Amino acid sequence: MSVPLTPEPSRDCPLCPRLVAYRAENARQNPDWWNGPAPSFGDPNARLLIAGLAPGRTGANRTGRPFTGDHAGWLLYDTLKKTGFAEGRYDPNGDDDLRLIDCMITNAVRCAPPQNKPTATEENTCRPFLVDRLAALPRLKVIVTLGDVSRRSILRTLGYPGSAIPAGHGVEGKVGDYTLINSYHCSRLNTNTGRLTAEMFEDIFRRAKAALEE
Ligand code: URA
């Protein structure tokens, strides 16, 4: 008998004490926010998976949808629309009709961490959900990782060492049946300093589209 997949943690996932405490603190201060693990968002038959780092406190932790309400969400969703992976209107409160096309967005760590920095233990504890997230996507072909934590976590999820595909924007490689394309994270820090431009980011998703057609 096969064991059912658990691609999403429960709303009150108890596994990481520090993140549970942070969630509780946020819930005390902002009881109308989501304040739980942000479920993956998009097409359950997607061939493209985008893996971010973790929900931002006032972004996905507030709205319950990855990259929704974060500075990073504007560039991500705009780029997905330009490259044919999304349609509809994006609203930073999630009050919209945005739809992802052949694409799903998840996070390496599903709960908001203090200072946007999950610990290595939290990454490891959350990884089984990522393992099952990948396993639950029957047509998955291409994975875009946003930043180093995500790149390493996806590699380990697939049973590879975190160094199997080196860091760097646009670095691409085969991991088992999948193509992994790494991007700098679309965070405010990277976009404000010019480390990541809209053109560089768009190029990643054009390459993802090309890899899907191979
Ligand atoms: N919001 C997310 O959901 N993930 C990130 O990596 C950053 C912001």
Side-chain angles (χ1 to χ4, degrees):
M1 208 178 72
S2 62
V3 181
L5 296 173
T6 311
E8 304 298 327
S10 65
R11 178 75 195 261
D12 58 351
C13 180
L15 296 179
C16 300
R18 188 182 74 121
L19 302 187
V20 171
Y22 193 51
R23 245 168 38 201
E25 180 55 28
N26 283 319
R28 249 190 312 278
Q29 288 174 15
N30 300 284
D32 52 333
W33 289 5
W34 175 261
N35 298 312
S40 309
F41 167 54
D43 178 356
N45 275 313
R47 290 182 302 157
L48 171 65
L49 180 69
I50 301 166
L53 167 62
R57 191 181 86 92
T58 59
N61 176 66
R62 175 175 62 86
T63 61
R65 193 174 74 179
F67 288 91
T68 301
D70 295 305
H71 173 86
W74 288 105
L75 180 59
L76 178 60
Y77 288 120
D78 191 44
T79 305
L80 292 181
K81 283 206 258 180
K82 278 192 189 146
T83 52
F85 287 112
E87 66 179 8
R89 191 178 56 87
Y90 164 71
D91 175 88
N93 293 317
D95 187 11
D96 58 32
D97 59 356
L98 185 71
R99 192 177 74 86
L100 301 192
I101 302 166
D102 203 8
C103 165
M104 179 176 271
I105 305 176
T106 194
N107 279 307
V109 173
R110 308 299 182 87
C111 290
Q115 276 89 48
N116 281 331
K117 283 193 177 32
T119 64
T121 304
E122 288 158 357
E123 283 174 44
N124 293 337
T125 303
C126 209
R127 188 161 305 116
F129 298 112
L130 205 50
V131 171
D132 281 8
R133 181 66 277 162
L134 266 63
L137 287 171
R139 299 174 71 229
L140 181 62
K141 194 166 173 194
V142 178
I143 304 172
V144 169
T145 51
L146 301 180
D148 260 357
V149 171
S150 161
R151 176 186 58 81
R152 283 196 311 263
S153 201
I154 286 286
L155 286 169
R156 290 178 183 142
T157 291
L158 294 168
Y160 290 78
S163 57
I165 293 196
H169 184 76
V171 177
E172 177 175 338
K174 276 274 177 206
V175 276
D177 294 338
Y178 308 121
T179 298
L180 187 155
I181 307 175
N182 187 52
S183 169
Y184 291 153
H185 194 285
C186 47
S187 66
R188 187 192 297 271
L189 184 68
N190 285 340
T191 55
N192 280 1
T193 55
R195 188 167 190 253
L196 179 70
T197 64
E199 293 71 28
M200 286 164 70
F201 202 47
E202 203 175 309
D203 182 54
I204 293 287
F205 290 95
R206 296 211 181 283
R207 283 171 52 187
K209 188 133 262 184
L212 286 178
E213 303 318 323
E214 274 167 15

